[in-house]
Structures are given as C-alpha cells and as structure tokens.
Amino acid sequence: MSSMNDLIKELRVNEIVNALITAFRTGNRDYISSTVELLHEEFMYTVSEIETMELTGETLKRASTLYALYCLGLGLLRIVNNESLTTDHIELLRNAINNEDLSSLTQSLIMASALFIRGDNSWIEKFNELAQGISNELIKSIIYSFLGIIRSINITYS
C-alpha cells in the first residue's frame, strides 16, 4: 500500500480523493490536515522547479491538479471543523478571474468543495460558464482541474 506522500508525488488523483473522502467520512481531521499540507508542499515544489515565471504543459497540469486537490482538502476541513459556509463563492470566483487573484480563487474553491460535499452542486454550471474565456492559464487550468475532480467524485460516490 502506497503512502499518501507517494500518491501525491505520483499524482494518483483518484486514490488521493478516495483517501480524503474516507478520512472525511470517519472524521479524521488530522489525516485530512496532513494531506492538505503534503499537497501544498508538492504544489510549491512543482512551481519552484520552473525557471521562468510561466507554467506550461505537464507542469501546468500537475500544479493545477495539486492546487485543486489542496482546495478540496481545505473544503473538507472546513466542514469537519464546523466552519461557516456563507462566503459567496461565485463572487470570489469572479474576483479571481477579473483580478487574477489566487487568494480569491482558493477561497472560492474551498467553499465550492464544502458545498459540494454537503450536496449543493448548483454552482457547477456557473463555474463552467465563468471559466470560459479566461486568459490566465494557471487560473483556468486550476478551475478545470477542480471541476474534473468534482465530476469524478460525483460519478464515484453517486
């Protein structure tokens, strides 16, 4: 059996998602938290490996997937910690797109993750709509990676 660190390094998305969902269902806050930390570290390592300031190709895909998983994990933590789910995730996404603001993007995806796990998928169509025509490749790639992960969860756990 592979460790979470190995799963993340090999970017085995389905296995990472399954482990996060299992930890969520059992209320294992520490496991989710440590996985989120590992995802963040691997994301930072991935982007630090780039000598230019532009992510492209497989590195962009890897970084985007890691970031999307990171936000999913933070969304799960938000629920486990009984934190409020009142932030306007659509407005945060608009702000992220209009201002190329990764902080707003992160908060939007965390909230969307939490809402999705709670059974609210009403935002997915709006996210797809807003993602079209984004010029910032990193933000666009993160959003599409995130939506792909959400779709896989929906298929696997429905």
Side-chain angles (χ1 to χ4, degrees):
M1 177 163 203
S2 299
S3 71
M4 180 53 75
N5 201 33
D6 292 339
L7 295 177
I8 291 171
K9 288 199 180 310
E10 296 168 15
L11 201 56
R12 291 167 42 193
V13 176
N14 290 336
E15 291 176 60
I16 296 167
V17 168
N18 288 338
L20 282 168
I21 297 295
T22 300
F24 169 75
R25 287 182 171 168
T26 60
N28 193 338
R29 175 181 300 130
D30 292 339
Y31 188 85
I32 298 169
S33 183
S34 66
T35 300
V36 165
E37 188 175 319
L38 288 171
L39 287 162
H40 186 261
E41 287 174 10
E42 187 65 21
F43 170 79
M44 295 304 291
Y45 175 77
T46 299
V47 298
S48 73
E49 290 289 293
I50 306 304
E51 292 183 16
T52 64
M53 290 304 293
E54 192 169 324
L55 293 170
T56 58
E58 286 302 310
T59 306
L60 174 63
K61 183 178 178 183
R62 179 176 181 74
S64 299
T65 302
L66 287 165
Y67 204 82
L69 288 165
Y70 169 71
C71 291
L72 172 65
L74 288 173
L76 294 173
L77 275 178
R78 181 169 256 178
I79 295 171
V80 169
N81 292 331
N82 292 317
E83 295 176 26
S84 170
L85 302 179
T86 58
T87 306
D88 185 346
H89 54 291
I90 301 293
E91 193 54 41
L92 282 167
L93 184 60
R94 275 194 191 96
N95 185 58
I97 293 167
N98 293 336
N99 299 310
E100 298 185 349
D101 179 8
L102 282 177
S103 178
S104 291
L105 178 63
T106 303
Q107 291 305 311
S108 177
L109 299 183
I110 291 168
M111 181 59 65
S113 297
L115 291 171
F116 179 76
I117 296 300
R118 287 280 168 106
D120 178 356
N121 63 2
S122 63
W123 53 269
I124 294 174
E125 187 176 321
K126 190 65 173 176
F127 269 45
N128 274 315
E129 180 184 309
L130 289 171
Q132 295 175 13
I134 296 174
S135 59
N136 183 303
E137 288 300 315
L138 178 59
I139 290 176
K140 181 193 306 188
S141 186
I142 291 170
I143 293 169
Y144 283 127
S145 293
F146 179 78
L147 289 169
I149 290 166
I150 293 299
R151 274 192 293 282
S152 75
I153 293 171
N154 199 25
I155 291 168
T156 304
Y157 293 98
S158 60

